[in-house]
Amino acid sequence: MSDTGEQWQVARRRKGAARKSKPLQVSSNSRCCQEPLDIGKTVKRIRDTVSELRCEEFWPQWKEQLLVALGSVELSNPQEDRDPEGSTEDGQLFQHLDCVCYGLGSFSSCVSARFQLAMLLLLLDAGQIPLKDCFIYDPAFSSGERDVLMQLGLTVLTENEEGKRLATKPTLFYLMHCGKALYNNLLWKNWSTQCIPRMIIIGNSFNGILDRTIEREFKRDYIYITQAVSVCEDRLLPCPSRLIDVFSDTAVITFPTSSLNRLPQSTWAEPPEPQYQHCPDLEIIQRETHVGERGGTIN
């Protein structure tokens, strides 16, 4: 539903048209001319949207697929420490995960972004991930939106990581309709048989990305997505037609340890950092100072 109470307008894409991923970029509208955001009203609107999504018929399927993914990560990381209190409502034991969200967009002005934020909160609750352990960043966030996120209990990152965050423990990455470079950077940062299985990605289907990209350019510019397609499990999530611009082509992606041996051992040795020299329309905002290291995470 829209903020004015009008019925949601179903968005229909013309046949053959490809969805463009939304880049991590600041809106062209000047924020200095906008009125200060009403924090309380915005928080309430988001929580109302959470309640709305919780009643949707497709939500139980999203929740089920998340729990399946959590189980997959458990099997791939049997040596990881577990919290004895970290069990699901069905009594199944899960370790606590971290969560990282990039590229959400301006949720105070964009209905799609607000629904995606509400879905993130639902997923955190279903996966029993503490709100403070969800790290979120988008250069499009206004200062008011950052205050809203902190009011909700999330941890707002202050530095653009370009998606290059190391998964030191099982981590859910929530990347709704983000650019290919963000996924590619994330995979590069975690490109080892130890780190890759720790990741659960909810975002663009890798198979969908592959289908929409010229193969030659895909293999040249996004080598880590190219290789990940052959070893990941890519499960499409349901999306009602009225929310097609919010959740279409979204999948839950995992990397079972048993699948990694499909790639030659040489694949994992000293992976080069992506440079994107042939990508004039790169769908990501890069840091002003580019650091070519694969160091630790930034909190």
Side-chain angles (χ1 to χ4, degrees), residues 68 72 228-229 231-235 251-256 258-259:
V68 168
S72 174
V229 168
V231 298
C232 72
E233 291 188 358
D234 188 306
R235 302 184 185 91
V252 56
I253 302 168
T254 54
F255 305 86
S258 58
S259 300

Side-chain angles (χ1 to χ4, degrees), residues 1-9 52 111 114-115 242:
M1 298 293 289
S2 68
D3 299 339
T4 60
E6 298 176 355
Q7 290 296 317
W8 186 286
Q9 298 297 311
E52 180 179 343
V111 176
R114 188 176 81 244
F115 269 73
R242 72 183 187 89

